[in-house]
Amino acid sequence: MTTRVRIQRRPIHGVLLLDKPLGYSSNDALQKVKWLLRAEKAGHTGTLDPLATGALPLCFGAATKFSQLHLDADKTYEAVALLGVTTTTGDAEGEVLAELPVPDITAERLAELTRRYSGPIQQVPPMYSALKKDGKALYEYARDGIEIDRPARDVVIHDLKLSLERDEQGRPQLRIQVCCSKGTYIRTLGEDLGKALGCGAHLVFLRRVKTGDFGVEQAVTLAELEAMDENTRLARLLPVEALLGHHEIVTLGADDAGRFLSGMRRRVQSSDAPLVQVWGEPPRALLGSAHIRGGELIPTRLLSPIEVGQIQAQQSAGAAVPPVVIADGQP
């Protein structure tokens, strides 16, 4: 019998931008990276389908407290939809439902579709999605052959570019470049475009190239990460505050910083703001997020004093980590 050795975890804080590989679920990718970093606590900022690749920010330690902020960020995708074929899932994983002839598609028709599907639109979420009904994911109902009524949802397409091309077999397909709001299903967009063209479509390629301020060109692949030593892996971590973007910074002195960390409101000379990042000094350290109302700094998400100390130690140590004292063991 094979003995499974438990990995010795450690507190790691920061964000790793992964270029998620094809075929991995977001959680599979997260667990693999968590194992490679020997991290105690980890989470991601929204799922990518197994058939999708691209930018997936992974949060470790204190960064998990701010992952929700990134769930609301705009996303940019590149996709390809095969025209004339519909499937049960809206992508290449599903069974073929119908095959229809593809009409001639002019540049004017593509321009009309671009206008029609730009700006605020409504989408009906796909049955093969992780949305839940009565505590059960929609894809679980779909696998049992049950169709659930799904109300249309409001989303925003900020920018849309469409072009016609052909695959290696000469079949017509639609290349889609889209920047959109949270909650947008690119599979559904591909299906809706195919339906509008009168021939149906399903996605055969999907890649997220940007999420919030994070571009895929900054990302590391899983293969690259596996080839690195521990110090180099840790050096790829972005600081926790990378998730707080360009939000205003409020800096507190040592006494006020300690009170803020205990959850107390502080008076500040700043205008009302829905979200600010709060730092303490000396020494300079991220304390958490807050909002300002009526001159009061009101804590929203706080780091613990232990987390603040661990982050300072991690930054001081740079990439240096203790030697590994465990045997091999994978998730």
mmCIF file of all heavy atoms in Angstrom, residues 8-14 37-42 60-62 234 237 306-307 309-311 313-315 320-322:
data_model
loop_
_atom_site.group_PDB
_atom_site.id
_atom_site.type_symbol
_atom_site.label_atom_id
_atom_site.label_comp_id
_atom_site.label_asym_id
_atom_site.label_seq_id
_atom_site.Cartn_x
_atom_site.Cartn_y
_atom_site.Cartn_z
ATOM 1 N N GLN A 8 3.741 19.811 4.464
ATOM 2 C CA GLN A 8 3.820 20.783 5.556
ATOM 3 C C GLN A 8 3.477 22.164 5.020
ATOM 4 O O GLN A 8 4.221 22.767 4.258
ATOM 5 C CB GLN A 8 5.225 20.793 6.150
ATOM 6 C CG GLN A 8 5.381 21.761 7.322
ATOM 7 C CD GLN A 8 6.800 21.743 7.867
ATOM 8 O OE1 GLN A 8 7.513 20.754 7.725
ATOM 9 N NE2 GLN A 8 7.208 22.842 8.480
ATOM 10 N N ARG A 9 2.300 22.675 5.400
ATOM 11 C CA ARG A 9 1.846 23.970 4.902
ATOM 12 C C ARG A 9 2.497 25.114 5.678
ATOM 13 O O ARG A 9 3.015 24.918 6.770
ATOM 14 C CB ARG A 9 0.323 24.066 5.042
ATOM 15 C CG ARG A 9 -0.448 22.957 4.347
ATOM 16 C CD ARG A 9 -0.419 23.089 2.853
ATOM 17 N NE ARG A 9 -1.197 22.047 2.196
ATOM 18 C CZ ARG A 9 -1.368 21.938 0.893
ATOM 19 N NH1 ARG A 9 -0.789 22.820 0.088
ATOM 20 N NH2 ARG A 9 -2.084 20.969 0.373
ATOM 21 N N ARG A 10 2.412 26.310 5.101
ATOM 22 C CA ARG A 10 2.981 27.492 5.744
ATOM 23 C C ARG A 10 2.170 28.718 5.321
ATOM 24 O O ARG A 10 1.492 28.698 4.278
ATOM 25 C CB ARG A 10 4.434 27.666 5.325
ATOM 26 C CG ARG A 10 4.548 27.822 3.817
ATOM 27 C CD ARG A 10 5.951 27.775 3.330
ATOM 28 N NE ARG A 10 5.956 27.777 1.870
ATOM 29 C CZ ARG A 10 7.047 27.865 1.138
ATOM 30 N NH1 ARG A 10 8.217 27.947 1.722
ATOM 31 N NH2 ARG A 10 6.984 27.860 -0.170
ATOM 32 N N PRO A 11 2.202 29.780 6.101
ATOM 33 C CA PRO A 11 1.466 30.992 5.724
ATOM 34 C C PRO A 11 2.160 31.709 4.561
ATOM 35 O O PRO A 11 3.328 32.081 4.649
ATOM 36 C CB PRO A 11 1.496 31.840 6.996
ATOM 37 C CG PRO A 11 2.698 31.365 7.757
ATOM 38 C CD PRO A 11 2.846 29.909 7.429
ATOM 39 N N ILE A 12 1.443 31.842 3.468
ATOM 40 C CA ILE A 12 1.920 32.565 2.293
ATOM 41 C C ILE A 12 0.865 33.617 1.966
ATOM 42 O O ILE A 12 -0.327 33.333 1.964
ATOM 43 C CB ILE A 12 2.086 31.608 1.086
ATOM 44 C CG1 ILE A 12 3.161 30.557 1.358
ATOM 45 C CG2 ILE A 12 2.410 32.386 -0.192
ATOM 46 C CD1 ILE A 12 4.546 31.111 1.460
ATOM 47 N N HIS A 13 1.297 34.835 1.666
ATOM 48 C CA HIS A 13 0.351 35.915 1.394
ATOM 49 C C HIS A 13 0.688 36.579 0.056
ATOM 50 O O HIS A 13 1.838 36.958 -0.182
ATOM 51 C CB HIS A 13 0.401 36.968 2.505
ATOM 52 C CG HIS A 13 0.122 36.412 3.868
ATOM 53 N ND1 HIS A 13 -1.146 36.184 4.334
ATOM 54 C CD2 HIS A 13 0.976 36.019 4.855
ATOM 55 C CE1 HIS A 13 -1.084 35.680 5.558
ATOM 56 N NE2 HIS A 13 0.195 35.570 5.897
ATOM 57 N N GLY A 14 -0.312 36.716 -0.800
ATOM 58 C CA GLY A 14 -0.097 37.381 -2.079
ATOM 59 C C GLY A 14 -1.001 36.840 -3.161
ATOM 60 O O GLY A 14 -1.910 36.039 -2.911
ATOM 61 N N LEU A 37 3.233 25.769 -3.717
ATOM 62 C CA LEU A 37 3.682 26.825 -2.802
ATOM 63 C C LEU A 37 3.664 26.394 -1.336
ATOM 64 O O LEU A 37 4.151 27.111 -0.477
ATOM 65 C CB LEU A 37 2.799 28.068 -2.965
ATOM 66 C CG LEU A 37 2.931 28.854 -4.270
ATOM 67 C CD1 LEU A 37 1.920 29.986 -4.310
ATOM 68 C CD2 LEU A 37 4.339 29.402 -4.440
ATOM 69 N N ARG A 38 3.063 25.238 -1.061
ATOM 70 C CA ARG A 38 2.878 24.742 0.318
ATOM 71 C C ARG A 38 2.100 25.757 1.151
ATOM 72 O O ARG A 38 2.398 26.011 2.311
ATOM 73 C CB ARG A 38 4.218 24.428 0.979
ATOM 74 C CG ARG A 38 5.008 23.340 0.293
ATOM 75 C CD ARG A 38 6.141 22.828 1.160
ATOM 76 N NE ARG A 38 7.242 23.750 1.278
ATOM 77 C CZ ARG A 38 7.714 24.197 2.426
ATOM 78 N NH1 ARG A 38 7.155 23.839 3.570
ATOM 79 N NH2 ARG A 38 8.727 25.027 2.465
ATOM 80 N N ALA A 39 1.085 26.378 0.515
ATOM 81 C CA ALA A 39 0.333 27.448 1.169
ATOM 82 C C ALA A 39 -0.770 26.885 2.059
ATOM 83 O O ALA A 39 -1.390 25.878 1.742
ATOM 84 C CB ALA A 39 -0.283 28.364 0.115
ATOM 85 N N GLU A 40 -1.017 27.578 3.164
ATOM 86 C CA GLU A 40 -2.055 27.156 4.109
ATOM 87 C C GLU A 40 -3.455 27.475 3.594
ATOM 88 O O GLU A 40 -4.382 26.689 3.752
ATOM 89 C CB GLU A 40 -1.855 27.855 5.463
ATOM 90 C CG GLU A 40 -0.676 27.348 6.257
ATOM 91 C CD GLU A 40 -0.527 28.074 7.583
ATOM 92 O OE1 GLU A 40 -1.139 29.145 7.766
ATOM 93 O OE2 GLU A 40 0.223 27.568 8.436
ATOM 94 N N LYS A 41 -3.611 28.648 3.001
ATOM 95 C CA LYS A 41 -4.943 29.122 2.636
ATOM 96 C C LYS A 41 -4.912 29.703 1.226
ATOM 97 O O LYS A 41 -4.006 30.463 0.893
ATOM 98 C CB LYS A 41 -5.407 30.198 3.634
ATOM 99 C CG LYS A 41 -6.820 30.684 3.440
ATOM 100 C CD LYS A 41 -7.162 31.705 4.527
ATOM 101 C CE LYS A 41 -8.604 32.209 4.376
ATOM 102 N NZ LYS A 41 -8.932 33.220 5.396
ATOM 103 N N ALA A 42 -5.916 29.334 0.405
ATOM 104 C CA ALA A 42 -5.918 29.798 -0.980
ATOM 105 C C ALA A 42 -7.340 29.877 -1.514
ATOM 106 O O ALA A 42 -8.253 29.209 -1.028
ATOM 107 C CB ALA A 42 -5.078 28.863 -1.849
ATOM 108 N N PHE A 60 -3.699 33.985 -2.002
ATOM 109 C CA PHE A 60 -3.137 33.202 -0.904
ATOM 110 C C PHE A 60 -3.135 34.024 0.377
ATOM 111 O O PHE A 60 -2.853 35.226 0.369
ATOM 112 C CB PHE A 60 -1.718 32.735 -1.250
ATOM 113 C CG PHE A 60 -1.689 31.832 -2.449
ATOM 114 C CD1 PHE A 60 -1.489 32.344 -3.712
ATOM 115 C CD2 PHE A 60 -1.927 30.475 -2.307
ATOM 116 C CE1 PHE A 60 -1.517 31.527 -4.824
ATOM 117 C CE2 PHE A 60 -1.942 29.643 -3.412
ATOM 118 C CZ PHE A 60 -1.738 30.167 -4.673
ATOM 119 N N GLY A 61 -3.466 33.343 1.491
ATOM 120 C CA GLY A 61 -3.436 33.987 2.794
ATOM 121 C C GLY A 61 -4.360 35.183 2.876
ATOM 122 O O GLY A 61 -5.543 35.120 2.530
ATOM 123 N N ALA A 62 -3.820 36.307 3.299
ATOM 124 C CA ALA A 62 -4.617 37.520 3.497
ATOM 125 C C ALA A 62 -5.264 38.012 2.208
ATOM 126 O O ALA A 62 -6.291 38.695 2.247
ATOM 127 C CB ALA A 62 -3.736 38.617 4.090
ATOM 128 N N LEU A 234 7.931 31.782 -5.167
ATOM 129 C CA LEU A 234 7.489 32.830 -4.251
ATOM 130 C C LEU A 234 7.721 34.221 -4.830
ATOM 131 O O LEU A 234 6.950 35.152 -4.576
ATOM 132 C CB LEU A 234 8.206 32.700 -2.910
ATOM 133 C CG LEU A 234 7.708 31.598 -1.973
ATOM 134 C CD1 LEU A 234 8.503 31.612 -0.682
ATOM 135 C CD2 LEU A 234 6.228 31.749 -1.679
ATOM 136 N N LEU A 237 4.874 35.917 -6.731
ATOM 137 C CA LEU A 237 3.698 36.424 -6.029
ATOM 138 C C LEU A 237 3.627 37.948 -6.093
ATOM 139 O O LEU A 237 4.615 38.634 -5.826
ATOM 140 C CB LEU A 237 3.716 35.995 -4.565
ATOM 141 C CG LEU A 237 3.368 34.547 -4.240
ATOM 142 C CD1 LEU A 237 3.583 34.278 -2.754
ATOM 143 C CD2 LEU A 237 1.926 34.227 -4.630
ATOM 144 N N ILE A 306 -1.389 39.197 13.232
ATOM 145 C CA ILE A 306 -0.501 38.086 12.852
ATOM 146 C C ILE A 306 -0.215 38.125 11.359
ATOM 147 O O ILE A 306 0.931 37.976 10.924
ATOM 148 C CB ILE A 306 -1.127 36.728 13.246
ATOM 149 C CG1 ILE A 306 -1.147 36.588 14.773
ATOM 150 C CG2 ILE A 306 -0.352 35.575 12.621
ATOM 151 C CD1 ILE A 306 -1.853 35.334 15.263
ATOM 152 N N GLU A 307 -1.258 38.361 10.541
ATOM 153 C CA GLU A 307 -1.066 38.426 9.089
ATOM 154 C C GLU A 307 -0.172 39.599 8.709
ATOM 155 O O GLU A 307 0.701 39.462 7.833
ATOM 156 C CB GLU A 307 -2.418 38.553 8.388
ATOM 157 C CG GLU A 307 -3.242 37.281 8.420
ATOM 158 C CD GLU A 307 -4.652 37.482 7.905
ATOM 159 O OE1 GLU A 307 -5.208 38.606 8.067
ATOM 160 O OE2 GLU A 307 -5.227 36.524 7.352
ATOM 161 N N GLY A 309 2.195 40.916 10.477
ATOM 162 C CA GLY A 309 3.565 40.527 10.816
ATOM 163 C C GLY A 309 4.132 39.517 9.839
ATOM 164 O O GLY A 309 5.310 39.604 9.452
ATOM 165 N N GLN A 310 3.321 38.556 9.430
ATOM 166 C CA GLN A 310 3.786 37.536 8.480
ATOM 167 C C GLN A 310 4.123 38.159 7.128
ATOM 168 O O GLN A 310 5.124 37.787 6.496
ATOM 169 C CB GLN A 310 2.726 36.446 8.323
ATOM 170 C CG GLN A 310 2.581 35.546 9.534
ATOM 171 C CD GLN A 310 1.395 34.602 9.417
ATOM 172 O OE1 GLN A 310 0.492 34.813 8.604
ATOM 173 N NE2 GLN A 310 1.385 33.563 10.229
ATOM 174 N N ILE A 311 3.304 39.114 6.662
ATOM 175 C CA ILE A 311 3.564 39.772 5.386
ATOM 176 C C ILE A 311 4.863 40.567 5.466
ATOM 177 O O ILE A 311 5.688 40.532 4.540
ATOM 178 C CB ILE A 311 2.388 40.692 5.001
ATOM 179 C CG1 ILE A 311 1.161 39.848 4.645
ATOM 180 C CG2 ILE A 311 2.764 41.590 3.820
ATOM 181 C CD1 ILE A 311 -0.102 40.653 4.447
ATOM 182 N N ALA A 313 7.394 39.948 7.408
ATOM 183 C CA ALA A 313 8.489 38.982 7.450
ATOM 184 C C ALA A 313 8.738 38.399 6.067
ATOM 185 O O ALA A 313 9.890 38.200 5.645
ATOM 186 C CB ALA A 313 8.174 37.879 8.451
ATOM 187 N N GLN A 314 7.656 38.109 5.329
ATOM 188 C CA GLN A 314 7.773 37.553 3.980
ATOM 189 C C GLN A 314 8.471 38.537 3.057
ATOM 190 O O GLN A 314 9.343 38.160 2.267
ATOM 191 C CB GLN A 314 6.374 37.223 3.452
ATOM 192 C CG GLN A 314 6.353 36.575 2.066
ATOM 193 C CD GLN A 314 4.922 36.219 1.653
ATOM 194 O OE1 GLN A 314 4.168 35.616 2.418
ATOM 195 N NE2 GLN A 314 4.545 36.592 0.445
ATOM 196 N N GLN A 315 8.123 39.828 3.182
ATOM 197 C CA GLN A 315 8.750 40.845 2.343
ATOM 198 C C GLN A 315 10.208 41.054 2.721
ATOM 199 O O GLN A 315 11.067 41.254 1.856
ATOM 200 C CB GLN A 315 7.970 42.161 2.466
ATOM 201 C CG GLN A 315 6.588 42.098 1.851
ATOM 202 C CD GLN A 315 5.736 43.322 2.171
ATOM 203 O OE1 GLN A 315 6.017 44.052 3.127
ATOM 204 N NE2 GLN A 315 4.706 43.551 1.378
ATOM 205 N N ALA A 320 13.597 34.061 0.146
ATOM 206 C CA ALA A 320 14.182 33.021 0.987
ATOM 207 C C ALA A 320 13.103 32.272 1.756
ATOM 208 O O ALA A 320 12.212 32.861 2.338
ATOM 209 C CB ALA A 320 15.160 33.653 1.970
ATOM 210 N N VAL A 321 13.156 30.964 1.718
ATOM 211 C CA VAL A 321 12.200 30.123 2.450
ATOM 212 C C VAL A 321 12.960 29.031 3.177
ATOM 213 O O VAL A 321 14.075 28.674 2.807
ATOM 214 C CB VAL A 321 11.179 29.479 1.487
ATOM 215 C CG1 VAL A 321 10.314 30.525 0.824
ATOM 216 C CG2 VAL A 321 11.876 28.625 0.439
ATOM 217 N N PRO A 322 12.374 28.476 4.248
ATOM 218 C CA PRO A 322 13.034 27.387 4.944
ATOM 219 C C PRO A 322 13.188 26.175 4.034
ATOM 220 O O PRO A 322 12.427 26.000 3.087
ATOM 221 C CB PRO A 322 12.061 27.069 6.100
ATOM 222 C CG PRO A 322 11.168 28.253 6.199
ATOM 223 C CD PRO A 322 11.101 28.839 4.833
#
